[in-house]
Amino acid sequence: MADPSLTDANLPLALGTALPEGQRIGRYALLRRLGRGGMAEVFLARQEGPSDFAKTVVVKRMLPHLSENKRFVDMFLREARVAARLNHPNVVQIFELGQDQDTFFLAMEFIDGITLHKLAKRAWRHHRALPTEVIVRAMADVALGLHHAHTLLDDEGQPTK
């Protein structure tokens, strides 16, 4: 049974474009496309399991046409290995690296909330600026997450590559 909190009526339109029902990547039902970049596309998805178990996640899927390019596959897999080692409140958790047919994907933590960009646009529509405290807090949180990532050590105590 589907999670009632994930109906179209309850998902903000800001969460991207709804997908036709039934699209899947691995064990994840895709709900909406959140974005697309040069190497991957990102989806809001639902992991489903026995006894009506459901967990909302984000799935980042490598673009299918790049899966035949060893350089891009290596970059995606390296990102997955490094990201899986990160454990910090300001960095999303990676739950799984998977492969669906010929394409790799990452399943990761979904953080519910408004983006700083959307919050700023909302303030600008009302001819207001974001409070300095909000901007400084966001920047500090980003800096803490980046510091953690850039000081990450491997199992031998060496900086990760």
Side-chain angles (χ1 to χ4, degrees):
M1 177 174 176
D3 180 347
S5 67
L6 294 177
T7 64
D8 279 339
N10 294 333
L11 282 173
L13 293 176
L15 281 179
T17 308
L19 298 170
E21 209 170 307
Q23 288 194 26
R24 300 187 71 78
I25 297 175
R27 59 187 174 150
Y28 304 95
L30 302 183
L31 304 172
R32 296 185 178 278
R33 178 179 291 136
L34 300 176
R36 181 183 170 121
M39 186 173 165
E41 54 190 341
V42 179
F43 300 92
L44 182 68
R46 184 177 49 245
Q47 177 186 350
E48 299 167 335
S51 266
D52 293 333
F53 173 85
K55 181 173 183 68
T56 304
V57 299
V58 171
V59 172
K60 179 178 182 179
R61 175 175 65 185
M62 182 178 211
L63 294 173
H65 72 277
L66 296 177
S67 64
E68 297 174 15
N69 185 319
K70 183 179 177 350
R71 183 171 151 252
F72 284 103
V73 170
D74 289 346
M75 284 190 323
F76 192 86
L77 295 176
R78 180 179 175 275
E79 173 189 341
R81 285 190 301 271
V82 171
R85 296 180 61 89
L86 297 173
N87 185 13
H88 189 273
N90 299 75
V91 179
V92 298
Q93 292 293 296
I94 302 297
F95 299 138
E96 176 183 7
L97 167 65
Q99 189 171 5
D100 187 60
Q101 298 173 5
D102 294 331
T103 303
F104 288 99
F105 67 89
L106 290 172
M108 59 188 100
E109 179 181 15
F110 168 64
I111 307 293
D112 192 11
I114 189 169
T115 67
L116 187 58
H117 181 252
K118 285 185 180 21
L119 187 61
K121 282 174 64 174
R122 185 178 293 169
W124 297 334
R125 269 197 311 272
H126 296 286
H127 306 288
R128 297 181 185 219
L130 286 178
T132 302
E133 297 82 10
V134 171
I135 296 168
V136 170
R137 174 60 189 256
M139 291 173 63
D141 288 347
V142 168
L144 289 169
L146 285 170
H147 178 265
H148 176 71
H150 288 280
T151 58
L152 185 67
L153 302 177
D154 65 18
D155 291 335
E156 287 77 42
Q158 299 299 311
T160 56
K161 298 178 185 174

